[in-house]
Amino acid sequence: MSTRKAAVIDMGTNTFHLLLVEINGVNFKTIYKEKIPVKIGQGGINQDFLAPEALKRAMHTLRHFKNLIDGEGISHIFAFATSAVRNAKNGPEFVETVKSEIGIEINVISGEQEAQLIYEGIKLSGSLNGQIELMMDIGGGSVEFIIGTSQEVFYKESFEIGGQRLMDLFHHHDPILPEEIEKLKSYLRSKLQPLINAIKTYHPTGLVGASGTFDTLTDMYFESMLQCKLTGQHVFELPIEEFKKIYHDLTVKTREERLAIPGMIPMRADMIVVASSLIDFILDFIPIRSITCSHYALKEGAISRLLI
């Protein structure tokens, strides 16, 4: 069977991901991957606007990605933009500029399409084991929730309550103040009512978190156990009591102290506080002993559609 190469660009609100793969029937092999904290939502996300500095970083990163793609001789490029670009008044103009100046066609996907691709990525990772799961992916602009099994999806929805938005609204002191967390959680309670109702309807018994924040939380957990993640492993378990310990730690430390935690990466140090508060909020509604963390998310979901 002939192999073909493809490139996936996932343009998140916080991070741009590049994934270069070689596809061979039902399997794919990663040739190269890179993530860059572009923070395209910074400075304007709650005003539905992409700030000039953010656009400059985005163009610079996409030119860099295009050079790598051309270097591998890849012509199949699947580029997705999510919440920040989706909601920005100057989003269409940015998409047009990228097409004319760099030659990359960006597909601006809806929240529902995003949730579907995340589900397909999680499914591809082997994280689903037959029971009904609540799946979540915390982006910088939006958060996607899916309730389902490896066979079917019962509920999926995207909420514009991502990490960058929550940070701008609630995280004004460092370390975050207990009353800021309280305000954040009461905001979540009002925004996530449809999800809370769906949890009551479908009774998920497991929680699967996709990439991003969950990758960093498991990195910190593994570091605290003095263990290494195995190469090629895509699914990790994070015991609830360990999550609670890490979460408490994150809420009482300054940014500088958070950066010193083994396993923390600089691009996560800001957003991880509000993102973990969101996870903690969700845990009130679902009785579990550990969180399953899928290293696969949106970009792997896109690849799964290219497999036979």
Side-chain angles (χ1 to χ4, degrees), residues 1-145:
M1 190 175 284
S2 67
T3 61
R4 57 204 171 103
K5 290 178 180 178
V8 175
I9 299 173
D10 170 5
M11 298 164 52
T13 299
N14 195 32
T15 314
F16 280 19
H17 295 264
L18 173 68
L19 186 56
L20 305 183
V21 295
E22 201 168 71
I23 292 165
N24 187 346
V26 293
N27 299 309
F28 77 93
K29 188 176 90 193
T30 302
I31 305 169
Y32 179 80
K33 64 177 176 185
E34 186 175 353
K35 58 182 175 186
I36 295 181
V38 171
K39 302 197 171 176
I40 197 172
Q42 203 173 54
I45 191 158
N46 287 326
Q47 292 77 46
D48 293 337
F49 178 73
L50 302 173
E53 282 304 309
L55 287 171
K56 205 182 284 179
R57 291 192 298 273
M59 293 299 284
H60 179 77
T61 300
L62 290 172
R63 281 199 177 91
H64 164 63
F65 283 179
K66 184 70 162 65
N67 286 338
L68 292 166
I69 291 166
D70 291 346
E72 279 292 337
I74 295 173
S75 55
H76 292 292
I77 304 173
F78 301 89
F80 301 95
T82 53
S83 176
V85 178
R86 180 163 70 223
N87 293 292
K89 295 179 184 74
N90 55 341
E93 187 189 330
F94 164 65
V95 169
E96 204 42 60
T97 307
V98 171
K99 188 179 170 181
S100 61
E101 290 187 20
I102 305 176
I104 294 173
E105 283 215 37
I106 297 169
N107 185 1
V108 181
I109 58 175
S110 70
E112 191 164 319
Q113 289 171 310
E114 194 176 348
Q116 184 61 33
L117 284 169
I118 289 160
Y119 166 71
E120 289 169 25
I122 289 173
K123 192 169 150 175
L124 191 66
S125 76
S127 297
L128 306 177
N129 59 12
Q131 61 180 347
I132 298 177
E133 307 272 4
L134 170 63
M135 296 159 247
M136 68 188 284
D137 184 313
I138 305 170
S142 62
V143 179
E144 282 65 47
F145 291 97

